[in-house]
Amino acid sequence: MSTAGGEDTGGISRGWIGYGRSSLQALVQRVMRSWAARSLQVGALATLVDIIVLLVCKRVLKLPTPIAAAAGVAIGSTIAFFLNRSFAFRAQGTPVVGQAVRFILSTLVAMSIHASLVGILADRFDVDVVVAKLIADVLVFSIGQLLVLRFLVFRKSTRKAPRSQA
């Protein structure tokens, strides 16, 4: 088979290639619009803010490292909560207090698991501490916490809307 310009396409029609490309593009667009992709984007932004706050507190304000780290986590987590609530999970229609309590508790549990996992990987298995932290980040925050946020913190209401009496 040849094109209008006389090039040989090897028997593959141009339409099939276009269909495959557009299907892949549609799939990528669908995934990028999903709650998971939005939440991962929020997490990336919150992490960036966390690091910036840590560095400003440590290097500019000359605060002790634990205080600088705590400030970064506090501000980053607050941003993560509100952006996950409004942008990623679109859960504004449910009470914020319950979500906030579940978010704080799940974040504390995730931080405990994360710290333990970093310690185990670095101390028992002699994995470089930065590599151990990155592995723990992916396992705990990119996978585990993502599922906790979706199915526990910002879960969809199973209650049905009340019927109006006509």
Side-chain angles (χ1 to χ4, degrees):
M1 178 189 252
S2 62
T3 64
E7 303 136 25
D8 183 23
T9 61
I12 300 173
S13 80
R14 197 169 192 60
W16 182 84
I17 292 172
Y19 175 77
R21 189 175 310 144
S22 65
S23 295
L24 178 60
Q25 184 178 13
L27 176 63
V28 168
Q29 288 173 347
R30 184 175 175 193
V31 167
M32 292 308 293
R33 288 190 307 259
S34 73
W35 59 266
R38 290 189 309 262
S39 185
L40 289 171
Q41 291 168 23
V42 166
L45 176 64
T47 299
L48 181 63
V49 169
D50 178 344
I51 292 168
I52 289 169
V53 170
L54 166 70
L55 293 174
V56 167
C57 287
K58 180 71 179 152
R59 294 187 179 161
V60 176
L61 301 176
K62 307 291 185 200
L63 294 174
T65 302
I67 303 227
V73 168
I75 293 171
S77 294
T78 301
I79 289 170
F81 172 75
F82 285 107
L83 287 178
N84 270 309
R85 184 173 197 273
S86 62
F87 171 67
F89 298 103
R90 298 177 178 150
Q92 300 95 320
T94 55
V96 69
V97 174
Q99 291 173 338
V101 168
R102 290 189 301 268
F103 181 84
I104 290 167
L105 291 175
S106 68
T107 300
L108 290 173
V109 169
M111 288 170 59
S112 300
I113 294 168
H114 180 271
S116 299
L117 186 55
V118 170
I120 290 168
L121 290 171
D123 297 341
R124 290 192 186 161
F125 294 102
D126 203 29
V127 175
D128 179 76
V129 72
V130 173
V131 174
K133 183 202 178 319
L134 292 173
I135 291 169
D137 283 355
V138 169
L139 293 175
V140 176
F141 293 113
S142 298
I143 298 171
Q145 182 75 347
L146 178 67
L147 295 173
V148 167
L149 291 176
R150 173 64 183 94
F151 297 108
L152 178 67
V153 176
F154 300 110
R155 64 181 178 243
K156 292 190 182 232
S157 176
T158 56
R159 292 180 281 161
K160 294 183 180 183
R163 293 183 183 170
S164 61
Q165 300 289 331

